[in-house]
Amino acid sequence: MPNDANVIGRKVAWYRNQKGWAQEELVTQLTLYGCYMTRNILASIENQRCPANDKQIEYFAFIFEVGVQDLFPAKRHFSGAKIGTAKEIPRRRKRKRRKAPCRAGEK
């Protein structure tokens, strides 16, 4: 079951496949630049079993030569809305006013 804290895993796997690298090759690249990671950790990030921390996200962006924002999906994962679009804020409904109780002799 995917972890809601990891929204970049699919993009990491996509960029890795675009480069034609196996997971071992990406792990080697990350290790050469100073980011300790095993193939199991990478597999867990790509399969969204565990989240990537901020340091790992920066290293992924550096290795793939993309911006950090490019690792994140264009749509929010919980609502499907595009990021940055104006969204109306829901407000409380106004309550209907109650009629004043009738006094004796009035209608």
Side-chain angles (χ1 to χ4, degrees):
M1 181 151 129
N3 187 338
D4 288 341
N6 181 338
V7 295
I8 70 159
R10 291 181 180 153
K11 285 283 197 154
V12 169
W14 188 82
Y15 280 118
R16 181 179 59 77
N17 287 326
Q18 290 296 312
K19 294 267 189 183
W21 293 344
Q23 288 178 334
E24 286 292 335
E25 292 174 275
L26 178 55
V27 167
T28 302
Q29 290 291 322
L30 290 165
T31 305
L32 287 174
Y33 285 105
C35 179
Y36 172 76
M37 187 175 295
T38 64
R39 196 199 63 75
N40 289 336
I41 294 171
L42 178 61
S44 293
I45 290 171
E46 287 184 353
N47 291 319
Q48 297 179 308
R49 287 188 302 249
C50 73
N53 64 33
D54 54 349
K55 179 181 173 186
Q56 292 167 336
I57 292 171
E58 287 185 0
Y59 276 105
F60 285 135
F62 177 75
I63 296 294
F64 295 134
E65 299 173 349
V66 297
V68 171
Q69 69 278 3
D70 294 330
L71 293 173
F72 291 87
K75 292 185 178 182
R76 295 186 188 275
H77 68 283
F78 54 86
S79 68
K82 287 189 177 180
I83 296 175
T85 58
K87 189 173 184 179
E88 187 175 325
I89 299 172
R91 299 179 186 212
R92 295 177 73 185
R93 291 186 303 174
K94 293 182 180 178
R95 288 194 313 176
K96 293 181 180 178
R97 290 186 163 221
R98 293 185 181 179
K99 293 182 180 178
C102 293
R103 296 184 189 163
E106 293 181 13
K107 284 193 174 182

